[in-house]
């Protein structure tokens, strides 16, 4: 007599399905955690190495986490050597006429932050033909957790002063679409230079990080400011 197949208990089937779903859920969580975007941050006085190939290669499996460095190839090394907060622009000894052409004389007594930056061109070629000193500041919270990717509620603070700026009518960039020629400069491989970049700070109680990169939606490389 043919033996009938044994019927499996509905409860056992539910338990098996639950175990499978739990395993998939745990695996998914672990995959997300292991691919979580992690910014590269340095303290003031410490150099940070910027290389477009490394930026591309360090994209995670799940997220397009890249800084969008404005370099064709090669590496530069940047160091924020100092940061000084002045009560206003006049106290910093900078004339209003030396600010970016896009900056209007409307800040009055707004505190002014001046950064001393040392840049070394190891062997890099900038994508637009010239380098640029257009580094926005972000509140430190923009570099934490999942805030490092996607549209951030934290608005950048754009620079308004570059000590080695070009004249407003001087065209120094083959592709000036990113920023005004004011922020562009040349630096041959093997050379280095020191310059200053300045910002108006409406909120001086915030902790800020200098951001490297032009992606607009990713904050990946930064220097933690202390002033």
């Amino acid at each position: 007599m043919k033996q009938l197949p044994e019927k499996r208990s509905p409860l056992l089937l539910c338990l098996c399905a639950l175990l499978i779903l739990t395993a998939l859920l745990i695996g998914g969580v672990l995959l997300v955690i292991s691919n979580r975007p992690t910014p590269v941050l340095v303290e003031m006085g410490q150099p940070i190495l910027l290389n477009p190939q490394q930026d591309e290669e360090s994209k995670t499996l799940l997220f397009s986490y890249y800084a969008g460095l404005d370099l064709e190839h090669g590496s530069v090394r940047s160091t924020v050597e100092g940061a000084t907060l002045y009560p206003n622009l006049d106290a910093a000894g900078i004339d209003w006429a030396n600010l970016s052409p896009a900056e209007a004389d409307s800040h009055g007594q707004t505190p002014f932050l001046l950064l001393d930056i040392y840049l070394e061109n190891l062997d890099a070629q900038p994508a637009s033909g010239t380098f640029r000193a257009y580094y926005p500041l972000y509140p430190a919270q923009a570099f934490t957790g999942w805030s490092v990717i996607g549209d951030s509620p934290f608005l950048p603070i754009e620079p308004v002063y570059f000590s080695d700026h070009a004249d407003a009518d001087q065209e120094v960039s083959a592709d000036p679409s990113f920023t005004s020629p004011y922020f562009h400069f040349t630096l041959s491989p093997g050379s280095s230079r020191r310059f200053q970049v300045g910002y108006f700070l409406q909120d001086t109680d915030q902790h800020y990080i200098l951001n490297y990169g032009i992606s607009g939606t990713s904050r990946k490389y930064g220097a933690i400011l202390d002033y």
Side-chain angles (χ1 to χ4, degrees), residues 47-87:
I48 187 169
L49 185 69
L50 304 171
N51 178 282
Q53 282 70 42
Q54 291 182 3
D55 183 33
E56 288 289 329
E57 291 170 1
S58 60
K59 288 182 179 180
T60 65
L61 179 64
L62 300 179
F63 307 101
S64 295
Y65 184 47
Y66 62 98
L69 300 174
D70 191 22
L71 299 173
E72 189 70 34
H73 58 76
S75 303
V76 299
R77 189 160 50 214
S78 180
T79 307
V80 179
E81 296 186 319
T84 306
L85 182 63
Y86 294 94

Side-chain angles (χ1 to χ4, degrees), residues 2-143:
K2 193 173 182 180
Q3 188 175 6
L4 294 176
E6 181 181 352
K7 291 185 178 180
R8 295 184 178 179
S9 167
L11 179 59
L12 181 60
L13 292 175
C14 289
L15 287 175
C16 291
L18 182 60
L19 287 174
I20 293 173
L21 289 175
T22 301
L24 290 175
L25 179 60
I26 294 175
V29 170
L30 292 176
L31 181 62
V32 170
I33 292 176
S34 64
N35 284 271
R36 182 174 179 173
T38 304
V40 179
L41 301 177
V42 297
E43 301 287 341
M44 273 181 45
Q46 295 180 343
I48 187 169
L49 185 69
L50 304 171
N51 178 282
Q53 282 70 42
Q54 291 182 3
D55 183 33
E56 288 289 329
E57 291 170 1
S58 60
K59 288 182 179 180
T60 65
L61 179 64
L62 300 179
F63 307 101
S64 295
Y65 184 47
Y66 62 98
L69 300 174
D70 191 22
L71 299 173
E72 189 70 34
H73 58 76
S75 303
V76 299
R77 189 160 50 214
S78 180
T79 307
V80 179
E81 296 186 319
T84 306
L85 182 63
Y86 294 94
N88 51 56
L89 184 66
D90 292 336
I94 297 173
D95 193 283
W96 285 93
N98 286 323
L99 298 187
S100 166
E103 187 60 33
D105 183 356
S106 60
H107 289 275
Q109 297 302 306
T110 303
F112 186 77
L113 178 66
L114 192 61
L115 303 182
D116 298 300
I117 298 176
Y118 178 54
L119 184 67
E120 303 168 86
N121 181 2
L122 303 181
D123 57 355
Q125 174 63 41
S128 59
T130 57
F131 292 91
R132 63 176 195 156
Y134 198 77
Y135 311 121
L137 305 184
Y138 281 92
Q141 298 94 316
F143 278 84

Side-chain angles (χ1 to χ4, degrees), residues 144-166:
T144 59
W146 295 103
S147 296
V148 297
I149 58 174
D151 294 329
S152 171
F154 306 104
L155 297 177
I157 298 176
E158 311 289 352
V160 298
Y161 172 72
F162 173 40
S163 60
D164 296 359
H165 66 84

